[in-house]
Each structure stands twice: as C-alpha cells, then as structure tokens.
Amino acid sequence: MKINEILIHHGNDMKEMAKCLLKHSEVEKEIEKNSHVGIKPNLVEAKPASTGATTHVELVEAVIDFLKEIGIQKITIMEGSWVGDSTEDAFHVCGYKKLAKEKRVELLDLKKDTYITKKSYEGDLKVCEAPLKVDYLINMPVMKGHCQTGITCALKNMKGCIPDFEKRRYHQMGLHGPIAAVNTIVKPDLILVDAINGDLTYEGGGTPVPMDRIFLAKDPVLIDAWAAKTMGWNLEEIPYIQIAEKLGVGSSNIHDAIIWEIGKATRKINPRTLRGEAKDYGEFVDEGNACSACYATLLYALKRLDEEGKLVTIVENLKIGQVYKGLSFPGMGVGDCTSGCDKNLPGCPPEAGAILEFLRKESAKGK
C-alpha cells in the first residue's frame, strides 16, 4: 500500500469490510510472522460504539482474525481512556474483555503502563512504553467531532498512549502542538478508521451519525485531512494537522492522494448540514485549558438543558478549566479547578448528570 493512498469501504458488514481492505492493502507483506502487533482503538470512555464514541469491537475482531490468518500470534489491544474514566470499564462495556478472552490476545490498560520521556518539538513528552515496544502498531480511531479541536481521528487518537497527568498538561500546552508532537514519537504503521457512526459534534458520543464506512491508510496526516474534509472543516480550522505536517509526520495533500472506494455508499452525508445542526454551546462557557473529558461533558449537559428549554435561564457564562485553579471568581464554575467560584460543582470530571442537575437548580433560581 502506498503512503498517499486511502482505501474506503462502504457497507454494513463491518468484519467483511475490514478484512477486504486489509487484504486489498497487501499489509501481510509488511508484517513478519514473529512480530508483536499492537492495536490501539479509541475507548475514550465506557460507552458502546453505538453512541458514536468508541471503536466498534467488530472491527478490532476482524483485524485480529486477519492477523492470525497470516500467522501473527502475539497481539496486544492497548488503550488509555480519558482522564476521569476507567479503561477497565471501557474494555468491559465495549466488549473488549470478551473479545480478548475469546481470541486469546492481551488486553493492556495504558493507564497502568510504565512511561518514558522523549524529546520533541514541544519539549520533553511522557509516553507510555508499550506502544513503542511493539513491532507493528495499528491505529484504530473513530472519526468524530471534538469540543476543543474540531475533529478527532488518527493523530489525536495517539493521546491515549500517554499517562493521565500528561493528558492534563497537553491542555495547558494548548492541545494542538503536543498532539502533533506525540505523533513524531508514537508512529503507527497502519490506520483503520471507524467511520460507521461517529458523533460528529462530541467526542463522548450521544448523537451518532450513521455513515456506514471505514477508511484504511498509512499516513495519519493524510487521513485526518481527509476526515476533516469529509466532516466539512477546512485544514486551517484544525491546527494540529498542519503542525504535524510541518514536523514531517505526513502530508495533508489530499488533492494528489489516490482514493480507492469499495462498495456503495448506503447513506448520503452532507458535511455542511451536519455541522450546521450542531449548536455552539461553547458561547455559554468561559473555558480555560479545560481537559476534554470535563469540557465535553459540560457541553453535553448544556445540550440536554437546551432540549429541556432551560438554557435561556443561564444568564452568566460557566467557568471551567485549569487556569482558574487556586483563584476566586464570582459566578458559576464546573469541576475541581473552579472550586474558588461562588457556585461550584466539584468533580474531575463531574458526571454529565451531576452537571445537568446543578444547572437545573441554578436555572430555577434565575426564574
């Protein structure tokens, strides 16, 4: 498979779609029989793939079956969920514990992995050791939206390969630079993107968009550029893609890419319409270096409040994020970092239900 190729398969049978792309790519010529292969899905939290948040276990199963068919015996599924959530719970809820047991493959929680320090464009970065030790790494992200970076796909999925304290620091650093930089350290050999029904507005899922397709590629910059285009974004709106390109991670030149499509599109997707349906709940928030888990959960709660017709009663912006840590502010704050606010909901991160109840009570007072 060439570095500037993207293979796309449309359809409903995920296992057959994945096997077809893997065979078409002739990836078996790259992997030696005694190799240790790592598979990195996106299990950001303990939510089933039907919500649009996590990688379908059926796709990972298809990859494992393919690897075993070509003689690969040592396979490890590895992931570290976002801050505040349990990877072990995600493994269970998303079907990965059952899969690992049935297929006799290793399941590794990267939150428990050792880490090392690597130099990068963004300075010293802490990276989990396991993804660096495998002979061949397969990145299996979900193509979906993100409350802070616009989209998340191949490049951002590598954020699951760092310890939790480093994930928090990435937000202090502005996300885009370190996301690009970590991809100069953790370098997947193959990318299989789950675009079956990703949530195109929120990385934590809840409003899945049926798209019925998967992508296969080798260049994470190219596949993210393609994903951004598919979702209706311009590259200038997703800085980490262009930063990664400048760092030599890959090319964003989708105009000269070789695109192969297999099967028939089962649904017509209008990216601009999809983005237009997403209300900008960020206008109700004063966000300062908030972790994704906290910020996205707040936005989801605001969406729920809006559906109840109570959002209009929020008369002051909600504060959230690490810049407020240790400071005192008037008004409402969400999360432990804003404990100095007059009204605060603690948690790291707080659950969406708790945020919703907090906002309901405050909205009732405002009537």
Side-chain angles (χ1 to χ4, degrees):
M1 184 177 185
K2 296 178 181 178
I3 194 68
N4 65 333
E5 281 184 303
I6 298 176
L7 307 183
I8 304 170
H9 203 312
H10 304 272
N12 302 111
D13 191 329
M14 286 182 271
K15 292 181 182 179
E16 287 303 314
M17 291 160 65
K19 288 180 180 179
C20 177
L21 290 189
L22 288 166
K23 290 178 180 178
H24 190 80
S25 71
E26 297 185 327
V27 68
E28 70 274 11
K29 295 179 180 179
E30 300 177 2
I31 311 176
E32 297 181 4
K33 296 296 185 292
N34 61 346
S35 294
H36 179 189
V37 177
I39 299 175
K40 167 63 176 72
N42 184 314
L43 304 178
V44 63
E45 58 179 322
K47 287 184 179 180
S50 59
T51 65
T54 53
T55 304
H56 283 82
V57 70
E58 294 90 343
L59 290 175
V60 176
E61 181 179 2
V63 171
I64 291 171
D65 287 343
F66 174 81
L67 292 171
K68 286 183 174 290
E69 286 174 9
I70 64 173
I72 305 300
Q73 298 301 318
K74 192 172 183 181
I75 303 169
T76 301
I77 302 170
M78 53 185 66
E79 171 63 315
S81 298
W82 65 7
V83 176
D85 218 298
S86 165
T87 312
E88 294 295 332
D89 288 347
F91 282 155
H92 175 71
V93 170
C94 300
Y96 285 78
K97 281 190 176 180
K98 181 181 178 182
L99 175 67
K101 183 177 180 180
E102 290 178 352
K103 299 298 180 180
R104 297 182 179 181
V105 300
E106 182 185 10
L107 202 57
L108 177 62
D109 180 357
L110 291 178
K111 287 176 181 276
K112 301 176 181 178
D113 191 31
T114 54
Y115 61 86
I116 58 176
T117 302
K118 290 282 190 178
K119 294 188 180 299
S120 78
Y121 154 83
E122 286 285 335
D124 289 347
L125 297 179
K126 303 294 190 297
V127 181
C128 296
E129 286 196 283
L132 302 177
K133 289 181 176 180
V134 296
D135 302 304
Y136 197 91
L137 183 60
I138 301 176
N139 183 8
M140 296 187 65
V142 180
M143 187 185 82
K144 53 185 177 176
H146 191 275
C147 61
Q148 289 163 295
T149 60
I151 76 161
T152 172
C153 196
L155 291 165
K156 193 174 179 300
N157 199 39
M158 291 298 96
K159 191 165 171 273
C161 296
I162 61 176
D164 274 3
F165 68 85
E166 193 77 332
K167 291 171 188 171
R168 292 189 181 97
R169 194 168 73 92
Y170 274 31
H171 289 269
Q172 297 172 344
M173 297 165 69
L175 273 181
H176 291 277
I179 287 172
V182 78
N183 278 271
T184 66
I185 300 169
V186 186
K187 304 175 182 179
D189 299 280
L190 191 69
I191 304 150
L192 194 156
V193 178
D194 182 345
I196 297 297
N197 66 318
D199 187 328
L200 300 188
T201 59
Y202 169 56
E203 67 273 25
T207 53
V209 178
M211 292 172 283
D212 301 335
R213 65 185 80 169
I214 60 175
F215 308 141
L216 190 74
K218 296 186 72 64
D219 183 341
V221 175
L222 186 67
I223 201 67
D224 275 23
W226 177 259
K229 176 188 175 184
T230 300
M231 294 170 65
W233 293 88
N234 295 319
L235 285 184
E236 294 75 18
E237 298 177 280
I238 318 293
Y240 69 76
I241 296 177
Q242 294 184 312
I243 297 172
E245 182 173 33
K246 291 178 181 177
L247 294 178
V249 176
S251 169
S252 67
N253 185 5
I254 57 177
H255 300 293
D256 292 336
I258 301 170
I259 311 296
W260 300 93
E261 297 201 48
I262 301 171
K264 294 182 179 180
T266 53
R267 303 173 198 265
K268 295 294 183 182
I269 304 297
N270 186 330
R272 294 187 180 277
T273 300
L274 288 169
R275 286 191 61 196
E277 290 174 354
K279 188 168 183 176
D280 183 13
Y281 294 104
E283 65 181 274
F284 297 92
V285 181
D286 288 334
E287 186 267 331
N289 295 339
C291 293
S292 299
C294 202
Y295 188 39
T297 304
L298 171 59
L299 295 185
Y300 183 66
L302 287 171
K303 179 177 182 294
R304 290 281 306 280
L305 196 72
D306 189 24
E307 291 168 352
E308 296 175 5
K310 299 176 181 177
L311 187 62
V312 291
T313 61
I314 301 295
V315 295
E316 57 186 325
N317 280 12
L318 299 157
K319 292 178 173 56
I320 185 173
Q322 299 175 71
V323 298
Y324 300 108
K325 190 177 291 187
L327 302 177
S328 296
F329 283 91
M332 294 189 292
V334 173
D336 289 348
C337 292
T338 61
S339 60
C341 286
D342 292 341
K343 305 168 188 176
N344 169 256
L345 176 69
C348 185
E351 294 182 354
I355 298 176
L356 186 59
E357 188 59 31
F358 172 70
L359 296 178
R360 282 173 180 154
K361 288 180 180 179
E362 294 303 322
S363 65
K365 293 177 183 177
K367 288 183 177 179

